[in-house]
Amino acid sequence: MFQTAFLDYLKTELPANTSTIEAVATALDISYDAAHRRVSLKSKLSLDESIALAKYYNLSLDRLFEITSIEYVTIEKTKHIENESELQQYFEDSYQSLLPLLKQKGSKILYSAKDIPLFYNLNGDTLSQFKYYVWLKLLNPELATKSFDNFAPSPALIKAGKQLGGLYNNLNIEEIWDITSINSTLKQIHFYFKAGQVNTTTALQLCDLLKKVITTIYDKVLSEAHPFMLYYNELHLMNNNVLVSTPNSQLLYVPFTLLSYYKTEDKHTCKEAERFLKKQLQNSKLLNTAGEKARNSFFNKLYAKIDALKQLIEATQLLDFE
């Protein structure tokens, strides 16, 4: 009974023009004759073979055993991060997870940007090092009293970050932003400046580097050389979900903690996420094709937020009576 149900499930999930016998032979690395015996139920699929087929074609075995209306999804959680070496490992694992997907022709990323996408903060400059400082400070109690001036990330961490960030260049990317996507970075700069853990000069430099990030994104919107599309959504708050799609598979990343993600390749879940995100796109303005007025209005609002923080920092310095 299981084998029949599993093979029926496999048939519905296979790419077009792929026979079940061919699929079983390919995934299990067996002859067509041996695959035919299994498909025709003359030979039994072992548990190991069933798992191998499920992994090869991203099938959720849970769905074969559902007895209620509740849907169960198999997920993987990225490791918890508490120190610099674990952050480096997180970058390296993320790189290894994404690389084989993004190397496939026709792959694309759809990013619901509650915050500025992670990849823009990994180039090794002072702003990216500040982001490492913020993340580690929130995750590692030992850094509670350390100022940013006394924080020096290891060359290995910077290298791992650059490697992961480099994956994002020249990809087929769709990002959905709203005006608040920049807020968390602004709040972090302001908070640690007010806490005395980032000095005035550095805080102003961070603002300038943040403005540089926004300008880089603006230039990508205008450039025809980048397969990049930026959408402005005024109706919904984003959630930092990331959907990676290739011609044959999808992978959904859902935020769990500060940097940790749940990720799943469950086809039904990824399709549901894709439908939801595409509805968001339909309710969004594509800034690549929007008129100059609408496009500049969006970016000018972001620049104004950064300038307002700079003025606040400068005014604090000016009004310091001590």
Side-chain angles (χ1 to χ4, degrees):
M1 181 178 178
F2 166 79
Q3 186 163 332
T4 301
F6 179 72
L7 290 172
D8 287 343
Y9 180 27
L10 175 62
K11 290 176 185 177
T12 64
E13 300 296 327
L14 288 176
N17 302 319
T18 302
S19 72
T20 309
I21 294 174
E22 178 186 358
V24 172
T26 300
L28 301 183
D29 194 21
I30 58 178
S31 68
Y32 271 52
D33 183 59
H36 180 270
R37 289 198 300 272
R38 287 162 174 77
V39 172
S40 63
L41 307 181
K42 293 178 181 178
S43 297
K44 289 186 177 181
L45 280 170
S46 69
L47 178 59
D48 288 343
E49 288 174 337
S50 299
I51 293 173
L53 279 165
K55 286 185 175 180
Y56 194 90
Y57 292 106
N58 298 321
L59 307 178
S60 173
L61 292 177
D62 294 342
R63 295 188 179 276
L64 294 178
F65 302 102
E66 290 175 2
I67 57 174
T68 71
S69 61
I70 299 174
E71 292 197 359
Y72 296 90
V73 178
T74 301
I75 62 171
E76 178 183 348
K77 181 176 70 66
T78 56
K79 294 180 180 178
H80 183 64
I81 300 168
E82 290 187 347
N83 54 53
E84 188 171 309
S85 63
E86 290 174 350
L87 179 59
Q88 178 185 331
Q89 189 64 51
Y90 169 82
F91 289 157
E92 293 172 351
D93 290 345
S94 298
Y95 177 82
Q96 293 300 328
S97 172
L98 287 170
L99 182 62
L101 296 174
L102 301 180
K103 285 178 67 177
Q104 297 182 44
K105 186 177 181 180
S107 64
K108 61 181 181 180
I109 290 179
L110 180 52
Y111 201 126
S112 174
K114 177 181 178 181
D115 306 308
I116 297 174
L118 169 76
F119 300 94
Y120 293 118
N121 294 312
L122 300 176
N123 63 5
D125 66 5
T126 302
L127 180 59
S128 65
Q129 293 183 40
F130 173 71
K131 298 297 285 191
Y132 300 165
Y133 170 78
V134 171
W135 296 332
L136 290 171
K137 198 173 179 65
L138 294 172
L139 295 167
N140 186 354
E142 295 181 4
L143 295 178
T145 60
K146 177 172 285 191
S147 70
F148 181 55
D149 290 336
N150 295 321
F151 174 75
S154 69
L157 175 61
I158 294 175
K159 179 181 178 181
K162 285 182 176 180
Q163 184 182 47
L164 177 58
L167 280 180
Y168 212 60
N169 296 330
N170 302 314
L171 287 176
N172 185 354
I173 299 167
E174 294 176 303
E175 293 176 4
I176 313 172
W177 286 48
D178 61 30
I179 296 300
T180 65
S181 297
I182 197 175
N183 283 7
S184 63
T185 300
L186 293 172
K187 287 181 179 180
Q188 289 161 2
I189 296 171
H190 182 245
F191 177 87
Y192 287 110
F193 167 70
K194 293 292 289 182
Q197 295 181 320
V198 172
N199 64 49
T200 301
T201 301
T202 301
L204 293 173
Q205 181 189 11
L206 292 173
C207 290
D208 289 336
L209 288 171
L210 179 57
K211 184 175 286 190
K212 184 177 179 181
V213 170
I214 301 304
T215 300
T216 298
I217 295 169
Y218 179 81
D219 291 342
K220 286 176 66 176
V221 169
L222 294 181
S223 173
E224 296 181 359
H226 293 279
F228 172 78
M229 289 186 284
L230 181 65
Y231 291 82
Y232 171 35
N233 190 306
E234 299 182 73
L235 298 176
H236 304 286
L237 292 176
M238 303 302 105
N239 55 16
N240 282 339
N241 282 1
V242 181
L243 181 67
V244 180
S245 299
T246 73
N248 297 317
S249 65
Q250 290 184 306
L251 182 62
L252 176 66
Y253 291 83
V254 179
F256 170 51
T257 59
L258 180 64
L259 287 174
S260 298
Y261 276 82
Y262 291 126
K263 59 182 179 179
T264 182
E265 296 178 83
D266 179 78
K267 291 187 176 182
H268 296 276
T269 302
C270 289
K271 286 299 180 185
E272 287 177 7
E274 183 178 34
R275 285 194 293 271
F276 173 73
L277 289 169
K278 284 187 175 180
K279 286 181 180 178
Q280 286 190 316
L281 293 179
Q282 292 171 0
N283 292 312
S284 302
K285 183 177 296 182
L286 177 58
L287 296 178
N288 301 65
T289 57
E292 183 178 0
K293 179 180 178 180
R295 182 168 54 245
N296 288 346
S297 174
F298 171 79
F299 281 98
N300 286 338
K301 288 177 182 178
L302 300 184
Y303 290 136
K305 283 175 174 275
I306 300 172
D307 289 338
L309 178 57
K310 289 187 67 174
Q311 292 171 12
L312 181 61
I313 293 169
E314 291 169 340
T316 302
Q317 181 186 31
L318 182 64
L319 295 174
D320 188 355
F321 297 110
E322 296 181 0

